[in-house]
Amino acid sequence: QVQLVESGGGLVQAGGSLRLSCAASGSTSRIDRFGWYRQAPGKQRELVASITNRGSTYYADSVKGRFTISRDSAKNTVYLQMNSLRPEDTAVYSCNAVGVRLFWGQGTQVTVSS
């Protein structure tokens, strides 16, 4: 089992920054990839960014150049640094971990005001 706890969400003005954290505990050695997803009201959940054990990263086109995903293995924590935020980035952001099974955190709300 893997437990994921997100933090760092909040309300920010357009152009501002936030850093989300996803703290993992449990059987983290079996995790191959961490990902950040988001879901806005009335929209499907989408993958924002992911990072593998080898450090390979993926970014959705909508966040390239603005968001950065990173991982601190010593702390079992994955971060999502979000810069130049836009109102359309408003969503619930959730962390997931992919290993033998798929695990999800509870999500954290990010609201960007115009």
Side-chain angles (χ1 to χ4, degrees):
Q1 282 291 92
V2 174
Q3 294 77 41
L4 303 173
V5 178
E6 301 99 330
S7 61
L11 174 64
V12 64
Q13 287 188 332
S17 298
L18 283 174
R19 188 177 80 157
L20 305 183
S21 299
C22 173
S25 60
S27 302
T28 58
S29 62
R30 296 186 174 186
I31 299 303
D32 298 318
R33 187 189 74 192
F34 286 93
W36 281 101
Y37 286 74
R38 67 185 181 188
Q39 186 167 21
K43 294 188 177 182
Q44 288 189 333
R45 184 168 56 194
E46 63 171 340
L47 175 62
V48 175
S50 66
I51 186 166
T52 69
N53 275 345
R54 295 187 176 184
S56 296
T57 57
Y58 162 86
Y59 296 96
D61 287 343
S62 58
V63 307
K64 280 181 182 176
R66 301 188 297 124
F67 290 11
T68 302
I69 190 170
S70 62
R71 179 177 180 178
D72 185 333
S73 297
K75 295 182 179 180
N76 283 327
T77 301
V78 177
Y79 303 98
L80 185 67
Q81 178 66 44
M82 306 186 295
N83 299 328
S84 302
L85 283 162
R86 305 166 180 169
E88 53 264 39
D89 294 319
T90 296
V92 174
Y93 285 71
S94 300
C95 173
N96 90 339
V98 181
V100 176
R101 291 176 53 192
L102 183 64
F103 301 92
W104 288 94
Q106 81 288 353
T108 185
Q109 176 70 45
V110 171
T111 302
V112 184
S113 63
S114 57

